[in-house]
Amino acid sequence: MASVRSLPDWSSGLPRELLEIIAKKLPSGEDAASFRSVCSPWRAALPFARFAPLLLLPLLFDPTSPPEAATFYSLVEEKTVVLPLPELHGKVVVGASCGWLALVDDATAVSLLNPFTGSGVALPPADQRVAASSSRSLEMAGDGDDGGGRWVVRCSSGDVSPVTLDKMREVFFSEIVLSTTPGGGGGCVAMAVLADSSEVAFCRVGHTAWTLIETNVECCVSTVVHCHGSFLAIGCLGEVSTINIAGDRATPSPARSVSSSLPEAAEMCHRSYLEVNGQLHLVGVPIRAFHGEWPFGHHAVVYKCDLTAGETPVWSMVTDAGDMAMFMSKNFNSGFGGVGVSKIKRNFIYLSEPMYGDQGDGTDHSLELVDIATGTSENIGYPTIHGSEVTNVEIAKDLSEEKQLLI
């Protein structure tokens, strides 16, 4: 009787160290998706955190023709992906976190969307408590129960103006940050930066209302970063308040100033915060402008701060991020970092749009690439996007898990 030849066991045929070496050399996200689909050990050897984010090109706001599709640009593969997204109709993006978009409509209904899988999650709408936390005079006009109510701003003169979709980030949610991907188990916490407020708001999936938290910062919160299992609410003057969430309760710490070695806030431009290897990082540009000098030169700088190092943590300048690359959003003050991969330069910062310069009507884009070691930068143009240059949408769906989005 002939023996039956068994198939090789690929999961145990290669040591973990060799799998990781192979994984580092994969040139594209499509190759990564194929690699991870072989078996669980291969999947574990290649977390998607090693791969560069997709850049969501700006959605031009046009009330007469709301967007129903989004264009993404792959930094590694240097090509575009156009996804039909009818869920964008009548909404504005107020956050991009853990691969999900946070959206709000003109009635302040909030939702989360995974643009690659189409999965959606509803969050509570803004209510009068959230409106009151802003310094603006917001009120509901009309009967909100039958859908006819709309938010308006009442001026000191008594005149009222409607809060249109393009103004939502200015008067309600400046940014929404997630602790993790929404999994339906209650573990995902959404934290919202409110416009012109020292308070932030949080909720879990399934909650019916936002919970307000006083951060005790001196002026207003500029951004929120999720770090070490906690949220860091960062004030516009650089102070930091740590917020721990346990169940439905939040415990904010007193706001701490961590500016011992940091240039004054007034001398910094384009401040972006991110968590890298458990430490809070700041990317900014010290302004050295002189009368009559235009354009003036600028050099990006990176600082890091270990918030667990005593009562008064200190910022220190970073000139070597090792194997890391950092990614900064144009529209939001938070960013993220990851291990560099093929075609992504290590020890560099990728800005989704140059710090300076007129981008016209939003149809022309370029990426600013900053050398952390020297602070010098260069602009990289994107290829012109035509309808025929649309890549396979299924590739993008394969890459949806743990994928970061840069806007």
Side-chain angles (χ1 to χ4, degrees):
M1 181 176 178
S3 61
V4 179
R5 187 177 180 181
S6 60
L7 295 174
D9 183 2
W10 288 102
S11 64
S12 58
L14 295 175
R16 172 66 179 263
E17 294 78 8
L18 181 56
L19 289 173
E20 291 177 349
I21 292 174
I22 296 172
K24 290 179 180 180
K25 297 182 179 297
L26 295 177
S28 71
E30 186 175 3
D31 292 333
S34 299
F35 184 95
R36 284 171 54 90
S37 66
V38 172
C39 57
S40 56
W42 286 43
R43 183 182 182 87
L46 180 58
F48 268 130
R50 292 193 59 85
F51 281 80
L54 293 177
L55 176 64
L56 174 59
L57 298 185
L59 302 171
L60 302 181
F61 181 79
D62 182 358
T64 64
S65 180
E68 294 191 5
T71 302
F72 298 89
Y73 178 76
S74 171
L75 302 176
V76 171
E77 300 176 68
E78 298 180 350
K79 56 186 178 182
T80 58
V81 179
V82 177
L83 297 181
L85 290 174
E87 297 89 349
L88 293 176
H89 183 84
K91 299 180 179 67
V92 65
V93 178
V94 294
S97 184
C98 301
W100 288 63
L101 298 175
L103 308 172
V104 63
D105 64 15
D106 58 3
T108 65
V110 185
S111 60
L112 303 177
L113 171 68
N114 185 318
F116 306 109
T117 66
S119 300
V121 175
L123 295 181
D127 55 21
Q128 190 60 54
R129 296 176 307 107
V130 173
S133 70
S134 173
S135 62
R136 289 174 167 81
S137 301
L138 289 165
E139 60 185 57
M140 178 66 76
D143 186 359
D145 295 334
D146 63 3
R150 286 294 181 268
W151 291 100
V152 297
V153 176
R154 183 171 296 277
C155 304
S156 57
S157 62
D159 296 334
V160 298
S161 60
V163 180
T164 53
L165 191 60
D166 58 326
K167 301 296 183 183
M168 280 294 164
R169 288 190 61 204
E170 297 180 16
V171 298
F172 278 108
F173 299 107
S174 296
E175 183 176 6
I176 294 178
V177 176
L178 305 180
S179 62
T180 186
T181 55
C188 175
V189 177
M191 184 72 69
V193 179
L194 305 178
D196 298 325
S197 177
S198 63
E199 292 183 302
V200 292
F202 86 94
C203 71
R204 293 183 183 273
V205 175
H207 281 189
T208 58
W210 293 88
T211 298
L212 295 174
I213 308 166
E214 176 55 61
T215 63
N216 302 310
V217 300
E218 185 174 344
C219 185
C220 62
V221 176
S222 65
T223 190
V224 164
V225 176
H226 189 254
C227 182
H228 274 310
S230 301
F231 286 96
L232 305 178
I234 303 170
C236 62
L237 301 180
E239 65 271 47
V240 178
S241 176
T242 302
I243 301 173
N244 296 307
I245 307 292
D248 294 340
R249 301 188 63 182
T251 306
S253 69
R256 296 181 291 172
S257 174
V258 288
S259 58
S260 301
S261 61
L262 189 66
E264 292 295 327
E267 299 176 358
M268 293 286 286
C269 180
H270 199 91
R271 299 167 63 97
S272 296
Y273 294 89
L274 66 155
E275 179 272 333
V276 179
N277 292 333
Q279 292 185 320
L280 180 65
H281 283 62
L282 163 66
V283 177
V285 177
I287 298 176
R288 302 181 181 93
F290 301 94
H291 279 301
E293 181 183 350
W294 183 260
F296 57 85
H298 68 277
H299 292 273
V301 292
V302 180
Y303 290 87
K304 67 178 179 180
C305 179
D306 184 358
L307 295 176
T308 65
E311 290 296 322
T312 309
V314 176
W315 292 100
S316 60
M317 183 176 287
V318 176
T319 57
D320 185 1
D323 199 33
M324 303 294 292
M326 301 180 187
F327 302 91
M328 303 289 107
S329 170
K330 170 197 173 187
N331 293 310
F332 302 107
N333 290 330
S334 58
F336 51 88
V339 178
V341 294
S342 175
K343 295 188 179 181
I344 295 296
K345 293 186 177 182
R346 281 80 166 167
N347 205 39
F348 272 76
I349 305 165
Y350 287 78
L351 295 165
S352 65
E353 193 163 314
M355 296 182 188
Y356 302 100
D358 184 10
Q359 293 300 304
D361 60 1
T363 58
D364 297 323
H365 312 283
S366 61
L367 188 74
E368 184 167 355
L369 186 59
V370 181
D371 186 339
I372 294 177
T374 64
T376 57
S377 65
E378 61 177 314
N379 289 352
I380 302 175
Y382 302 129
T384 302
I385 299 169
H386 300 291
S388 60
E389 296 181 357
V390 179
T391 61
N392 191 336
V393 173
E394 293 303 319
I395 296 175
K397 289 184 178 179
D398 287 339
L399 293 176
S400 63
E401 186 175 358
E402 301 177 22
K403 196 67 181 176
Q404 293 282 12
L405 295 174
L406 187 63
I407 298 179

